Amino acid sequence: MIEHKPLYQAMINAVSQTLENMAFMEVMEHFDRSYKIPAEDLIWNSLLINDPVQGEIRLAMSKNLLKKLAGNIFAIADDEITQPQMDDILNELLNTIVGLFLTNLLLDDQEYKMGLPELNEEALPEVDENTIVWKLMTDEEDALQIFAIGASLVILQEK
Amino acid sequence: MKRIIIADDSTTARMFIKRCLQIIGLGDAEIIEAEHGKEALAAAKAQKVDLLLTDLNMPVMDGETLVKWVKANPKFSDLTVIVITSAGNPAKEAQLLALGAHRVLNKPVSPPVMMEALADFLDE
């Protein structure tokens, strides 16, 4: 098994740092662990981690939160934001979050390789035993969720 | 007026870096946006550029190849090159510095970090 730091906190810190720096939003754990973002309001993307562990990270949030993030990042009104800008923001957020997550997780001398983010149109897959879920929300109580999928990632929880 | 190339395939990342530059006092610089390394290299060859800010993971030509090309060309010996990436780690950073990059910054970059990294450049 690879040498690493605590996995759950590594992701919380990555998401917090990304949203605070890029969109001036605070992130905390969701008060309702059973909360699910309604399917009709949900948008999500995914990115593969190739090395030193293999797995997939998914970022899911409400379309409303993505609009707020876009407004903060581009400093323009919600109704001026285009769909390509929204898609690009979601991908850049995931790209940044996963990079920070791996930096936070792995010890200093370990290299990592990650793929490129991809938007997904289909329904978010059900969570199984090979999935870790982070249920988070912003200071305005907009929900976002992160999923880490893959046995080699899940096993890192045990340390 | 300083001329700066921002190479990143993400519109969001380019916009965010531009905002950081404005905040640290480079709002009047001429910004040239490039979606990949090849576009950035063509822009650098076409006119004198003072600063190159580049991502690593880009289509067509990645940031590492861009740094190699730029630093292999004596024409760009004065060009300050900063890599801004989400795929950075100490091993990769050492590799990029050996290639001639001046600094490697992790995304999301913040204005204070950008200011510190560009201190010499801002003093010029």
Side-chain angles (χ1 to χ4, degrees):
Chain A
M1 189 190 291
I2 62 164
E3 291 292 314
H4 67 95
K5 298 174 202 164
L7 178 133
Y8 198 83
Q9 196 58 41
M11 182 62 85
I12 300 264
N13 293 347
V15 177
S16 295
Q17 195 181 338
T18 301
L19 265 65
E20 281 174 24
N21 273 21
M22 291 185 73
F24 318 109
M25 276 189 189
E26 282 188 42
V27 178
M28 59 207 83
E29 292 199 60
H30 203 287
F31 56 81
D32 180 0
R33 294 292 302 160
S34 63
Y35 182 80
K36 283 188 174 179
I37 300 167
E40 66 278 8
D41 187 39
L42 184 141
I43 184 162
W44 68 283
N45 60 352
S46 60
L47 185 153
L48 294 176
I49 298 172
N50 303 314
D51 197 43
V53 290
Q54 292 73 47
E56 180 182 345
I57 306 292
R58 295 178 186 145
L59 169 63
M61 65 177 70
S62 68
K63 291 171 185 165
N64 186 47
L65 173 56
L66 183 56
K67 271 197 168 180
K68 285 183 186 177
L69 289 166
N72 285 5
I73 291 170
F74 284 102
I76 54 177
D78 289 5
D79 55 1
E80 291 175 36
I81 296 159
T82 64
Q83 191 59 47
Q85 284 175 322
M86 301 252 288
D87 295 347
D88 189 77
I89 284 172
L90 193 65
N91 282 342
E92 183 62 13
L93 285 173
L94 181 58
N95 190 47
T96 305
I97 286 168
V98 175
L100 275 175
F101 166 64
L102 291 170
T103 301
N104 293 342
L105 176 70
L106 301 171
L107 297 183
D108 284 349
D109 57 350
Q110 289 186 75
E111 286 193 62
Y112 57 83
K113 287 183 185 159
M114 50 196 250
L116 294 172
E118 287 182 17
L119 286 168
N120 290 279
E121 305 264 314
E122 64 271 29
L124 193 60
E126 288 295 318
V127 171
D128 62 18
E129 70 277 7
N130 281 329
T131 305
I132 309 163
V133 184
W134 288 261
K135 293 198 172 188
L136 308 170
M137 66 178 192
T138 67
D139 43 0
E140 293 183 8
E141 297 189 8
D142 289 301
L144 69 152
Q145 294 174 356
I146 305 274
F147 303 84
I149 300 105
S152 69
L153 272 171
V154 171
I155 202 169
L156 301 184
Q157 269 192 125
E158 292 169 9
K159 184 173 175 181
Chain B
M1 183 173 63
K2 291 188 187 297
R3 191 175 284 136
I4 300 169
I5 295 176
I6 302 173
D8 197 307
D9 55 324
S10 163
T11 314
T12 306
R14 296 198 304 271
M15 170 69 77
F16 191 70
I17 292 167
K18 272 200 288 187
R19 283 181 65 191
C20 286
L21 292 175
Q22 285 165 357
I23 291 168
I24 67 169
L26 287 167
D28 60 349
E30 182 186 342
I31 306 290
I32 301 162
E33 295 187 43
E35 292 187 3
H36 49 74
K38 198 171 176 185
E39 207 174 292
L41 191 60
K45 284 177 176 171
Q47 54 205 319
K48 179 159 184 349
V49 174
D50 305 292
L51 172 64
L52 169 62
L53 301 167
T54 182
D55 186 21
L56 278 186
N57 292 332
M58 294 183 287
V60 185
M61 182 193 281
D62 63 37
E64 191 173 334
T65 308
L66 174 62
V67 175
K68 277 183 196 164
W69 273 93
V70 163
K71 286 300 168 185
N73 188 335
K75 183 182 172 187
F76 302 124
S77 58
D78 294 337
L79 178 60
T80 302
V81 178
I82 308 279
V83 177
I84 302 173
T85 181
S86 57
N89 55 59
K92 176 61 76 181
E93 183 177 342
Q95 198 180 338
L96 289 161
L97 294 175
L99 284 174
H102 292 79
R103 288 288 298 272
V104 179
L105 307 178
N106 284 326
K107 288 183 177 181
V109 71
S110 65
V113 169
M114 186 81 93
M115 182 169 247
E116 187 273 325
L118 292 177
D120 292 342
F121 180 78
L122 291 166
D123 287 343
E124 285 172 10

